[in-house]
Structure formats: C-alpha cells, structure tokens
Amino acid sequence: GIKDSLNIVTVKTLTQITPQLGFDYLLNFGFTTLVDSEVIGGQVYSDIQQSLALGGITKGVKNIELNAAYATIANGGTYIKPKLYTKVLDHDGNVILDNTEPETRQVLKETTAFLLTSAMQDVVTSGTGGSVNFGGMAIAGKTGTTSDNKDVWFSGFTPYYTATTWTGYDNNVSLSSSAERNLSKTLWRAVMSRIHENLPEKTFPMASGIVTAQVCSKSGRLPIAGVCDGCVVTEYFA
C-alpha cells in the first residue's frame, strides 16, 4: 500500500485504529494546523475523520512540520522540534536568545520506525518514488499528490538528512505536464544529491528487536507447502 500509494489501504488502516487515534498521533508528530472542531462560515469542520488518512484536512500542513514528522521516523521514532536558529548574541558576545537545546519526545517505538523506513525504501526502489535515487545511498520516502494534481510532494530521508519538497501554483491550478507533476521528485533529487556529494554511502541501521521470517507474499501469513510455492518472501517483524 505504501509502495504503490494505494489510498484504500491508508483509509482502512485509519478506520481500524480510529480517526481519533490517528489525529492524536499527528499532534504528537508536531502538526499545529490540524482542526479538532472549528466553525468556519457557519459550518463545523473537523479533521477527525477518514479523509485525514489522505491529507484531506481543513487547513493543510506546513512543509517544515511535515518534514519534521518524517525526520521523526528517520530518528528512530524521536521527534525533534525544528529550529531556524541556535543562538543570538549581542555586539559584546552576550547570549540574548539560546535555542541550542532541542525539544524532543518519543512518538514511535524504534522498531515501528524501522519497519516504516523499510516500507518507504520500497517506494524508492520499486514504487512511485524511483526517480529520486542517486548513487547507492539508502533512501526512504513517500510521494504525495492532491486532487487534480494541484499539489505534489516528496518527503524522504537518508541516513544523514531529511528533506521535503512541495510543488504547486499559488492560484491552485492543476499541474499539467509530466515534468510539472514530477517536479517535487526532481527538486528533491537535485538538492539531496548535492548535499550528499562527499558523504560515504550508508544503509539504515536495523533496530534491536527486529526479526525476519518467511511469509507467503499472497497472504502475508506463514507459507504452506504446495500452496505458496514460488511466492515465499522474507519480511521484517517487530
């Protein structure tokens, strides 16, 4: 579902865990634009519903907050609040503002973060985000497209950095050409390949508590001889 961006899987998952729990998780991931319940133009709006799974929310998200959420997965489930400065000094060198200590909290288990990373690696190796690859660097990420191709996103990370790119028009018209619809991935690859130019290629470290098991790729269950022949794969589990 993640690899091929199958929306029905996402909606069914949110339905199973309940939209309220999904909403609470997003708040813990640092999103500040979400609407619990708000009256706008005489109508009540709430993001605690199934459309939340697909980004169908009242006020959208900020790029910096979406990026921080993906960085949480990259950081083994630890959220780090984004900062635009670390320290401000006056002309005598006295500290006026100190922002060096990061605000952090654990949002996901380390094993969950690893499993999500592994799934999002498939997006880049064999799914909707293949064009972001550069060299042999490990990359995990997710593509995003709103209705009628009015916005396109790519959020992704390596063992070093997390980046998020958004493409769209201020007047909310659709992105028409293939080049426009792929521009977020093109920009992400161009920027990240430069940033990683002199960095050694790495893989994502495996979290402790992860095990492997052979499963039937058709059912996701333990393979049955004579039934699952030819479709046995090795998968990760917590």
Side-chain angles (χ1 to χ4, degrees):
I2 292 174
K3 176 172 76 80
D4 295 325
S5 214
L6 302 175
N7 289 346
I8 188 65
V9 176
T10 314
V11 175
K12 283 185 173 182
T13 302
L14 183 68
T15 304
Q16 186 172 334
I17 68 166
T18 74
Q20 181 66 61
L21 183 61
F23 183 86
D24 293 343
Y25 258 102
L26 288 173
L27 295 179
N28 208 16
F29 268 107
F31 290 98
T32 62
T33 56
L34 300 177
V35 173
D36 185 328
S37 180
E38 187 173 325
V39 178
I40 303 172
Q43 188 174 344
V44 178
Y45 288 83
S46 173
D47 295 333
I48 307 172
Q49 54 185 322
Q50 287 168 306
S51 58
L52 176 67
L54 307 180
I57 54 180
T58 309
K59 295 181 178 179
V61 297
K62 297 177 181 179
N63 187 312
I64 192 171
E65 292 182 353
L66 184 64
N67 196 60
Y70 276 87
T72 302
I73 303 168
N75 290 327
T78 301
Y79 171 84
I80 301 174
K81 186 177 180 181
K83 61 174 73 174
L84 298 177
Y85 72 93
T86 52
K87 196 178 288 185
V88 178
L89 311 177
D90 65 14
H91 65 285
D92 293 322
N94 300 310
V95 178
I96 302 172
L97 296 171
D98 191 332
N99 194 29
T100 49
E101 277 301 309
E103 181 185 319
T104 67
R105 60 177 173 268
Q106 197 71 21
V107 179
L108 298 174
K109 290 187 293 186
E110 191 178 357
T111 48
T112 305
F114 174 83
L115 292 171
L116 268 174
T117 298
S118 176
M120 289 194 293
Q121 280 184 269
D122 292 344
V123 171
V124 175
T125 55
S126 59
T128 57
S131 60
V132 305
N133 279 299
F134 57 89
M137 187 69 70
I139 301 170
K142 186 70 190 72
T143 55
T145 311
T146 62
S147 301
D148 304 316
N149 292 298
K150 290 179 179 176
D151 307 84
V152 294
W153 296 83
F154 187 79
S155 289
F157 54 88
T158 69
Y160 295 99
Y161 295 109
T162 305
T164 297
T165 47
W166 167 84
T167 311
Y169 286 108
D170 287 346
N171 58 354
N172 213 29
V173 299
S174 297
L175 301 163
S176 54
S177 69
S178 174
E180 283 183 328
R181 291 195 294 270
N182 285 292
L183 189 52
S184 281
K185 289 181 280 188
T186 304
L187 283 170
W188 194 95
R189 182 181 186 276
V191 171
M192 289 291 265
S193 61
R194 286 286 297 275
I195 290 171
H196 288 76
E197 257 175 13
N198 298 312
L199 296 174
E201 292 177 353
K202 276 188 180 180
T203 57
F204 293 110
M206 187 180 292
S208 59
I210 293 291
V211 296
T212 59
Q214 289 192 316
V215 297
C216 173
S217 63
K218 303 295 182 185
S219 67
R221 299 175 183 273
L222 291 171
I224 300 169
V227 178
C228 301
D229 295 350
C231 53
V232 177
V233 296
T234 301
E235 265 297 354
Y236 292 121
F237 295 91

